[in-house]
mmCIF file of all heavy atoms in Angstrom:
data_model
loop_
_atom_site.group_PDB
_atom_site.id
_atom_site.type_symbol
_atom_site.label_atom_id
_atom_site.label_comp_id
_atom_site.label_asym_id
_atom_site.label_seq_id
_atom_site.Cartn_x
_atom_site.Cartn_y
_atom_site.Cartn_z
ATOM 1 N N LEU A 1590 35.600 182.666 118.291
ATOM 2 C CA LEU A 1590 34.684 183.799 118.101
ATOM 3 C C LEU A 1590 34.246 184.394 119.434
ATOM 4 O O LEU A 1590 34.087 185.613 119.560
ATOM 5 C CB LEU A 1590 33.467 183.346 117.288
ATOM 6 C CG LEU A 1590 33.716 183.053 115.806
ATOM 7 C CD1 LEU A 1590 32.470 182.431 115.175
ATOM 8 C CD2 LEU A 1590 34.105 184.325 115.060
ATOM 9 N N CYS A 1591 34.060 183.550 120.440
ATOM 10 C CA CYS A 1591 33.638 184.055 121.751
ATOM 11 C C CYS A 1591 34.743 184.843 122.443
ATOM 12 O O CYS A 1591 34.476 185.804 123.173
ATOM 13 C CB CYS A 1591 33.192 182.883 122.637
ATOM 14 S SG CYS A 1591 31.673 182.076 122.080
ATOM 15 N N LYS A 1592 35.994 184.444 122.224
ATOM 16 C CA LYS A 1592 37.112 185.127 122.871
ATOM 17 C C LYS A 1592 37.616 186.310 122.053
ATOM 18 O O LYS A 1592 38.450 187.072 122.534
ATOM 19 C CB LYS A 1592 38.253 184.144 123.122
ATOM 20 C CG LYS A 1592 37.907 183.068 124.150
ATOM 21 C CD LYS A 1592 39.095 182.173 124.442
ATOM 22 C CE LYS A 1592 38.722 181.134 125.506
ATOM 23 N NZ LYS A 1592 39.872 180.256 125.850
ATOM 24 N N GLY A 1593 37.130 186.466 120.822
ATOM 25 C CA GLY A 1593 37.560 187.564 119.976
ATOM 26 C C GLY A 1593 37.283 188.941 120.563
ATOM 27 O O GLY A 1593 38.191 189.797 120.604
ATOM 28 N N PRO A 1594 36.061 189.237 121.026
ATOM 29 C CA PRO A 1594 35.801 190.563 121.614
ATOM 30 C C PRO A 1594 36.683 190.864 122.822
ATOM 31 O O PRO A 1594 37.136 192.000 123.009
ATOM 32 C CB PRO A 1594 34.319 190.490 122.009
ATOM 33 C CG PRO A 1594 33.745 189.460 121.083
ATOM 34 C CD PRO A 1594 34.820 188.453 120.886
ATOM 35 N N TYR A 1595 36.940 189.851 123.650
ATOM 36 C CA TYR A 1595 37.813 190.068 124.804
ATOM 37 C C TYR A 1595 39.215 190.454 124.339
ATOM 38 O O TYR A 1595 39.844 191.368 124.892
ATOM 39 C CB TYR A 1595 37.865 188.794 125.652
ATOM 40 C CG TYR A 1595 38.756 188.910 126.859
ATOM 41 C CD1 TYR A 1595 38.296 189.483 128.035
ATOM 42 C CD2 TYR A 1595 40.066 188.449 126.821
ATOM 43 C CE1 TYR A 1595 39.112 189.602 129.145
ATOM 44 C CE2 TYR A 1595 40.895 188.552 127.925
ATOM 45 C CZ TYR A 1595 40.410 189.127 129.085
ATOM 46 O OH TYR A 1595 41.230 189.246 130.184
ATOM 47 N N MET A 1596 39.719 189.777 123.312
ATOM 48 C CA MET A 1596 41.042 190.096 122.772
ATOM 49 C C MET A 1596 41.066 191.502 122.180
ATOM 50 O O MET A 1596 42.048 192.239 122.339
ATOM 51 C CB MET A 1596 41.418 189.062 121.707
ATOM 52 C CG MET A 1596 42.763 189.299 121.055
ATOM 53 S SD MET A 1596 43.125 188.046 119.804
ATOM 54 C CE MET A 1596 44.746 188.622 119.242
ATOM 55 N N LEU A 1597 39.974 191.913 121.516
ATOM 56 C CA LEU A 1597 39.909 193.229 120.895
ATOM 57 C C LEU A 1597 39.994 194.338 121.937
ATOM 58 O O LEU A 1597 40.849 195.234 121.845
ATOM 59 C CB LEU A 1597 38.607 193.346 120.095
ATOM 60 C CG LEU A 1597 38.336 194.705 119.448
ATOM 61 C CD1 LEU A 1597 39.388 195.012 118.387
ATOM 62 C CD2 LEU A 1597 36.927 194.742 118.858
ATOM 63 N N PHE A 1598 39.141 194.310 122.952
ATOM 64 C CA PHE A 1598 39.093 195.408 123.925
ATOM 65 C C PHE A 1598 40.297 195.377 124.874
ATOM 66 O O PHE A 1598 40.784 196.435 125.276
ATOM 67 C CB PHE A 1598 37.782 195.339 124.721
ATOM 68 C CG PHE A 1598 36.584 195.703 123.898
ATOM 69 C CD1 PHE A 1598 35.700 194.734 123.457
ATOM 70 C CD2 PHE A 1598 36.345 197.033 123.549
ATOM 71 C CE1 PHE A 1598 34.594 195.070 122.682
ATOM 72 C CE2 PHE A 1598 35.247 197.371 122.780
ATOM 73 C CZ PHE A 1598 34.367 196.386 122.340
ATOM 74 N N LYS A 1599 40.796 194.192 125.202
ATOM 75 C CA LYS A 1599 41.972 194.136 126.062
ATOM 76 C C LYS A 1599 43.200 194.675 125.328
ATOM 77 O O LYS A 1599 44.025 195.389 125.907
ATOM 78 C CB LYS A 1599 42.230 192.702 126.517
ATOM 79 C CG LYS A 1599 43.405 192.602 127.477
ATOM 80 C CD LYS A 1599 43.522 191.234 128.096
ATOM 81 C CE LYS A 1599 44.655 191.221 129.125
ATOM 82 N NZ LYS A 1599 44.782 189.927 129.808
ATOM 83 N N GLY A 1600 43.327 194.353 124.036
ATOM 84 C CA GLY A 1600 44.443 194.875 123.253
ATOM 85 C C GLY A 1600 44.387 196.377 123.108
ATOM 86 O O GLY A 1600 45.413 197.067 123.246
ATOM 87 N N TRP A 1601 43.198 196.915 122.839
ATOM 88 C CA TRP A 1601 43.050 198.371 122.734
ATOM 89 C C TRP A 1601 43.375 199.054 124.061
ATOM 90 O O TRP A 1601 44.038 200.090 124.096
ATOM 91 C CB TRP A 1601 41.626 198.703 122.305
ATOM 92 C CG TRP A 1601 41.509 198.890 120.817
ATOM 93 C CD1 TRP A 1601 42.517 199.124 119.933
ATOM 94 C CD2 TRP A 1601 40.302 198.862 120.069
ATOM 95 N NE1 TRP A 1601 42.016 199.237 118.673
ATOM 96 C CE2 TRP A 1601 40.647 199.078 118.716
ATOM 97 C CE3 TRP A 1601 38.963 198.650 120.392
ATOM 98 C CZ2 TRP A 1601 39.713 199.111 117.694
ATOM 99 C CZ3 TRP A 1601 38.017 198.681 119.382
ATOM 100 C CH2 TRP A 1601 38.387 198.912 118.032
ATOM 101 N N HIS A 1602 42.899 198.467 125.142
ATOM 102 C CA HIS A 1602 43.161 199.060 126.456
ATOM 103 C C HIS A 1602 44.663 199.123 126.726
ATOM 104 O O HIS A 1602 45.182 200.154 127.197
ATOM 105 C CB HIS A 1602 42.461 198.233 127.542
ATOM 106 C CG HIS A 1602 42.747 198.699 128.946
ATOM 107 N ND1 HIS A 1602 43.798 198.184 129.692
ATOM 108 C CD2 HIS A 1602 42.136 199.632 129.726
ATOM 109 C CE1 HIS A 1602 43.809 198.773 130.870
ATOM 110 N NE2 HIS A 1602 42.819 199.657 130.923
ATOM 111 N N ARG A 1603 45.369 198.076 126.406
ATOM 112 C CA ARG A 1603 46.814 198.054 126.654
ATOM 113 C C ARG A 1603 47.554 199.027 125.744
ATOM 114 O O ARG A 1603 48.466 199.750 126.176
ATOM 115 C CB ARG A 1603 47.338 196.634 126.440
ATOM 116 C CG ARG A 1603 48.811 196.445 126.745
ATOM 117 C CD ARG A 1603 49.097 196.707 128.216
ATOM 118 N NE ARG A 1603 50.473 196.408 128.545
ATOM 119 C CZ ARG A 1603 50.890 195.230 128.987
ATOM 120 N NH1 ARG A 1603 50.018 194.227 129.130
ATOM 121 N NH2 ARG A 1603 52.144 195.019 129.291
ATOM 122 N N LEU A 1604 47.189 199.074 124.480
ATOM 123 C CA LEU A 1604 47.874 199.951 123.533
ATOM 124 C C LEU A 1604 47.648 201.429 123.869
ATOM 125 O O LEU A 1604 48.581 202.240 123.801
ATOM 126 C CB LEU A 1604 47.418 199.651 122.111
ATOM 127 C CG LEU A 1604 47.900 198.325 121.512
ATOM 128 C CD1 LEU A 1604 47.206 198.047 120.186
ATOM 129 C CD2 LEU A 1604 49.411 198.355 121.307
ATOM 130 N N PHE A 1605 46.417 201.819 124.214
ATOM 131 C CA PHE A 1605 46.152 203.210 124.566
ATOM 132 C C PHE A 1605 46.853 203.591 125.863
ATOM 133 O O PHE A 1605 47.338 204.728 126.022
ATOM 134 C CB PHE A 1605 44.644 203.457 124.687
ATOM 135 C CG PHE A 1605 43.972 203.710 123.376
ATOM 136 C CD1 PHE A 1605 43.096 202.776 122.839
ATOM 137 C CD2 PHE A 1605 44.211 204.873 122.659
ATOM 138 C CE1 PHE A 1605 42.475 202.999 121.617
ATOM 139 C CE2 PHE A 1605 43.598 205.101 121.452
ATOM 140 C CZ PHE A 1605 42.721 204.166 120.917
ATOM 141 N N HIS A 1606 46.923 202.673 126.782
ATOM 142 C CA HIS A 1606 47.641 202.940 128.026
ATOM 143 C C HIS A 1606 49.118 203.196 127.747
ATOM 144 O O HIS A 1606 49.733 204.116 128.317
ATOM 145 C CB HIS A 1606 47.468 201.759 128.984
ATOM 146 C CG HIS A 1606 48.210 201.911 130.274
ATOM 147 N ND1 HIS A 1606 49.532 201.501 130.438
ATOM 148 C CD2 HIS A 1606 47.837 202.428 131.476
ATOM 149 C CE1 HIS A 1606 49.913 201.760 131.669
ATOM 150 N NE2 HIS A 1606 48.907 202.320 132.328
ATOM 151 N N ASP A 1607 49.711 202.392 126.877
ATOM 152 C CA ASP A 1607 51.126 202.585 126.532
ATOM 153 C C ASP A 1607 51.334 203.858 125.727
ATOM 154 O O ASP A 1607 52.382 204.512 125.834
ATOM 155 C CB ASP A 1607 51.637 201.380 125.737
ATOM 156 C CG ASP A 1607 51.696 200.116 126.580
ATOM 157 O OD1 ASP A 1607 51.658 200.239 127.810
ATOM 158 O OD2 ASP A 1607 51.774 199.010 126.006
ATOM 159 N N LEU A 1608 50.356 204.223 124.891
ATOM 160 C CA LEU A 1608 50.477 205.435 124.084
ATOM 161 C C LEU A 1608 50.537 206.675 124.954
ATOM 162 O O LEU A 1608 51.370 207.570 124.763
ATOM 163 C CB LEU A 1608 49.296 205.532 123.112
ATOM 164 C CG LEU A 1608 49.158 206.854 122.338
ATOM 165 C CD1 LEU A 1608 50.364 207.051 121.420
ATOM 166 C CD2 LEU A 1608 47.863 206.853 121.539
ATOM 167 N N ILE A 1609 49.663 206.759 125.938
ATOM 168 C CA ILE A 1609 49.617 207.935 126.800
ATOM 169 C C ILE A 1609 50.892 208.052 127.638
ATOM 170 O O ILE A 1609 51.443 209.136 127.808
ATOM 171 C CB ILE A 1609 48.363 207.879 127.694
ATOM 172 C CG1 ILE A 1609 47.095 207.962 126.830
ATOM 173 C CG2 ILE A 1609 48.394 209.001 128.727
ATOM 174 C CD1 ILE A 1609 45.821 207.767 127.615
ATOM 175 N N GLY A 1610 51.386 206.928 128.145
ATOM 176 C CA GLY A 1610 52.554 206.959 129.014
ATOM 177 C C GLY A 1610 53.871 206.752 128.298
ATOM 178 O O GLY A 1610 54.913 206.690 128.958
ATOM 179 N N ARG A 1611 53.876 206.664 126.955
ATOM 180 C CA ARG A 1611 55.100 206.384 126.200
ATOM 181 C C ARG A 1611 55.819 205.188 126.817
ATOM 182 O O ARG A 1611 57.007 205.224 127.137
ATOM 183 C CB ARG A 1611 56.031 207.592 126.167
ATOM 184 C CG ARG A 1611 55.600 208.732 125.293
ATOM 185 C CD ARG A 1611 55.548 208.346 123.823
ATOM 186 N NE ARG A 1611 56.822 207.813 123.349
ATOM 187 C CZ ARG A 1611 57.833 208.549 122.931
ATOM 188 N NH1 ARG A 1611 57.724 209.864 122.966
ATOM 189 N NH2 ARG A 1611 58.947 208.000 122.500
ATOM 190 N N GLU A 1612 55.116 204.105 126.972
ATOM 191 C CA GLU A 1612 55.656 202.889 127.546
ATOM 192 C C GLU A 1612 55.503 201.757 126.539
ATOM 193 O O GLU A 1612 54.908 201.917 125.478
ATOM 194 C CB GLU A 1612 54.937 202.539 128.861
ATOM 195 C CG GLU A 1612 55.079 203.606 129.935
ATOM 196 C CD GLU A 1612 54.297 203.260 131.187
ATOM 197 O OE1 GLU A 1612 53.509 202.299 131.129
ATOM 198 O OE2 GLU A 1612 54.467 203.934 132.212
ATOM 199 N N GLY A 1613 56.029 200.590 126.933
ATOM 200 C CA GLY A 1613 55.864 199.406 126.095
ATOM 201 C C GLY A 1613 56.368 199.628 124.685
ATOM 202 O O GLY A 1613 57.495 200.073 124.476
ATOM 203 N N PRO A 1614 55.557 199.350 123.666
ATOM 204 C CA PRO A 1614 56.009 199.519 122.281
ATOM 205 C C PRO A 1614 56.236 200.965 121.884
ATOM 206 O O PRO A 1614 56.843 201.243 120.860
ATOM 207 C CB PRO A 1614 54.861 198.898 121.467
ATOM 208 C CG PRO A 1614 53.669 198.994 122.344
ATOM 209 C CD PRO A 1614 54.190 198.817 123.743
ATOM 210 N N PHE A 1615 55.730 201.932 122.686
ATOM 211 C CA PHE A 1615 55.902 203.358 122.374
ATOM 212 C C PHE A 1615 57.134 203.944 123.056
ATOM 213 O O PHE A 1615 57.387 205.135 122.950
ATOM 214 C CB PHE A 1615 54.666 204.146 122.813
ATOM 215 C CG PHE A 1615 53.420 203.773 122.067
ATOM 216 C CD1 PHE A 1615 52.610 202.739 122.510
ATOM 217 C CD2 PHE A 1615 53.061 204.440 120.906
ATOM 218 C CE1 PHE A 1615 51.451 202.390 121.824
ATOM 219 C CE2 PHE A 1615 51.915 204.099 120.216
ATOM 220 C CZ PHE A 1615 51.112 203.060 120.669
ATOM 221 N N LEU A 1616 57.915 203.123 123.750
ATOM 222 C CA LEU A 1616 59.053 203.644 124.483
ATOM 223 C C LEU A 1616 60.148 204.118 123.550
ATOM 224 O O LEU A 1616 60.703 205.196 123.707
ATOM 225 C CB LEU A 1616 59.588 202.565 125.432
ATOM 226 C CG LEU A 1616 60.810 202.945 126.276
ATOM 227 C CD1 LEU A 1616 60.492 204.116 127.181
ATOM 228 C CD2 LEU A 1616 61.290 201.750 127.082
ATOM 229 N N GLU A 1617 60.491 203.312 122.531
ATOM 230 C CA GLU A 1617 61.529 203.673 121.574
ATOM 231 C C GLU A 1617 60.915 204.453 120.422
ATOM 232 O O GLU A 1617 59.846 204.095 119.913
ATOM 233 C CB GLU A 1617 62.225 202.412 121.042
ATOM 234 C CG GLU A 1617 63.015 201.651 122.097
ATOM 235 C CD GLU A 1617 64.264 202.384 122.517
ATOM 236 O OE1 GLU A 1617 64.694 203.283 121.762
ATOM 237 O OE2 GLU A 1617 64.805 202.072 123.588
ATOM 238 N N SER A 1618 61.580 205.490 119.985
ATOM 239 C CA SER A 1618 61.041 206.353 118.933
ATOM 240 C C SER A 1618 60.814 205.598 117.637
ATOM 241 O O SER A 1618 59.857 205.864 116.905
ATOM 242 C CB SER A 1618 61.999 207.529 118.679
ATOM 243 O OG SER A 1618 62.161 208.291 119.856
ATOM 244 N N ILE A 1619 61.696 204.631 117.338
ATOM 245 C CA ILE A 1619 61.561 203.894 116.087
ATOM 246 C C ILE A 1619 60.291 203.051 116.064
ATOM 247 O O ILE A 1619 59.756 202.727 115.011
ATOM 248 C CB ILE A 1619 62.803 203.000 115.865
ATOM 249 C CG1 ILE A 1619 62.757 202.380 114.466
ATOM 250 C CG2 ILE A 1619 62.901 201.928 116.920
ATOM 251 C CD1 ILE A 1619 63.986 201.575 114.127
ATOM 252 N N CYS A 1620 59.791 202.710 117.256
ATOM 253 C CA CYS A 1620 58.607 201.850 117.332
ATOM 254 C C CYS A 1620 57.302 202.625 117.372
ATOM 255 O O CYS A 1620 56.232 202.026 117.215
ATOM 256 C CB CYS A 1620 58.693 200.949 118.568
ATOM 257 S SG CYS A 1620 60.146 199.885 118.619
ATOM 258 N N VAL A 1621 57.357 203.940 117.601
ATOM 259 C CA VAL A 1621 56.140 204.733 117.788
ATOM 260 C C VAL A 1621 55.201 204.647 116.591
ATOM 261 O O VAL A 1621 54.002 204.373 116.766
ATOM 262 C CB VAL A 1621 56.494 206.197 118.119
ATOM 263 C CG1 VAL A 1621 55.254 207.081 118.044
ATOM 264 C CG2 VAL A 1621 57.110 206.279 119.506
ATOM 265 N N PRO A 1622 55.653 204.878 115.350
ATOM 266 C CA PRO A 1622 54.689 204.855 114.238
ATOM 267 C C PRO A 1622 54.036 203.503 114.049
ATOM 268 O O PRO A 1622 52.848 203.415 113.718
ATOM 269 C CB PRO A 1622 55.546 205.239 113.024
ATOM 270 C CG PRO A 1622 56.940 204.915 113.414
ATOM 271 C CD PRO A 1622 57.009 205.188 114.874
ATOM 272 N N PHE A 1623 54.772 202.445 114.263
ATOM 273 C CA PHE A 1623 54.218 201.111 114.034
ATOM 274 C C PHE A 1623 53.321 200.683 115.188
ATOM 275 O O PHE A 1623 52.337 199.966 114.980
ATOM 276 C CB PHE A 1623 55.364 200.123 113.824
ATOM 277 C CG PHE A 1623 56.343 200.588 112.796
ATOM 278 C CD1 PHE A 1623 57.562 201.117 113.169
ATOM 279 C CD2 PHE A 1623 56.021 200.547 111.453
ATOM 280 C CE1 PHE A 1623 58.462 201.569 112.234
ATOM 281 C CE2 PHE A 1623 56.914 200.998 110.503
ATOM 282 C CZ PHE A 1623 58.134 201.511 110.888
ATOM 283 N N ALA A 1624 53.662 201.123 116.400
ATOM 284 C CA ALA A 1624 52.767 200.855 117.520
ATOM 285 C C ALA A 1624 51.467 201.638 117.366
ATOM 286 O O ALA A 1624 50.383 201.146 117.679
ATOM 287 C CB ALA A 1624 53.455 201.216 118.839
ATOM 288 N N GLY A 1625 51.581 202.894 116.868
ATOM 289 C CA GLY A 1625 50.361 203.657 116.603
ATOM 290 C C GLY A 1625 49.531 203.026 115.502
ATOM 291 O O GLY A 1625 48.296 203.010 115.566
ATOM 292 N N LEU A 1626 50.205 202.501 114.487
ATOM 293 C CA LEU A 1626 49.478 201.809 113.425
ATOM 294 C C LEU A 1626 48.797 200.552 113.955
ATOM 295 O O LEU A 1626 47.725 200.163 113.469
ATOM 296 C CB LEU A 1626 50.453 201.445 112.299
ATOM 297 C CG LEU A 1626 49.845 200.907 111.002
ATOM 298 C CD1 LEU A 1626 48.953 201.958 110.356
ATOM 299 C CD2 LEU A 1626 50.950 200.472 110.039
ATOM 300 N N ALA A 1627 49.384 199.941 114.975
ATOM 301 C CA ALA A 1627 48.783 198.746 115.556
ATOM 302 C C ALA A 1627 47.430 199.056 116.196
ATOM 303 O O ALA A 1627 46.527 198.211 116.200
ATOM 304 C CB ALA A 1627 49.725 198.138 116.595
ATOM 305 N N ILE A 1628 47.274 200.280 116.754
ATOM 306 C CA ILE A 1628 45.990 200.652 117.335
ATOM 307 C C ILE A 1628 44.905 200.673 116.258
ATOM 308 O O ILE A 1628 43.790 200.179 116.465
ATOM 309 C CB ILE A 1628 46.103 202.025 118.029
ATOM 310 C CG1 ILE A 1628 47.052 201.930 119.219
ATOM 311 C CG2 ILE A 1628 44.742 202.532 118.469
ATOM 312 C CD1 ILE A 1628 47.268 203.246 119.938
ATOM 313 N N LEU A 1629 45.239 201.244 115.098
ATOM 314 C CA LEU A 1629 44.252 201.343 114.028
ATOM 315 C C LEU A 1629 43.943 199.981 113.413
ATOM 316 O O LEU A 1629 42.804 199.707 113.027
ATOM 317 C CB LEU A 1629 44.761 202.303 112.945
ATOM 318 C CG LEU A 1629 45.052 203.744 113.399
ATOM 319 C CD1 LEU A 1629 45.613 204.556 112.238
ATOM 320 C CD2 LEU A 1629 43.795 204.400 113.962
ATOM 321 N N LEU A 1630 44.950 199.145 113.324
ATOM 322 C CA LEU A 1630 44.783 197.854 112.644
ATOM 323 C C LEU A 1630 44.532 196.697 113.606
ATOM 324 O O LEU A 1630 44.509 195.543 113.170
ATOM 325 C CB LEU A 1630 46.033 197.550 111.807
ATOM 326 C CG LEU A 1630 46.382 198.574 110.713
ATOM 327 C CD1 LEU A 1630 47.608 198.133 109.951
ATOM 328 C CD2 LEU A 1630 45.201 198.765 109.766
#
Side-chain angles (χ1 to χ4, degrees):
L1590 289 172
C1591 292
K1592 293 184 178 182
Y1595 179 83
M1596 179 180 180
L1597 176 65
F1598 289 106
K1599 183 171 184 178
W1601 265 342
H1602 176 269
R1603 183 63 175 268
L1604 289 171
F1605 277 111
H1606 178 272
D1607 292 343
L1608 171 64
I1609 295 174
R1611 287 296 304 276
E1612 299 177 350
F1615 295 88
L1616 179 61
E1617 294 289 342
S1618 300
I1619 188 176
C1620 301
V1621 169
F1623 309 103
L1626 189 63
I1628 295 178
L1629 300 177
L1630 300 181

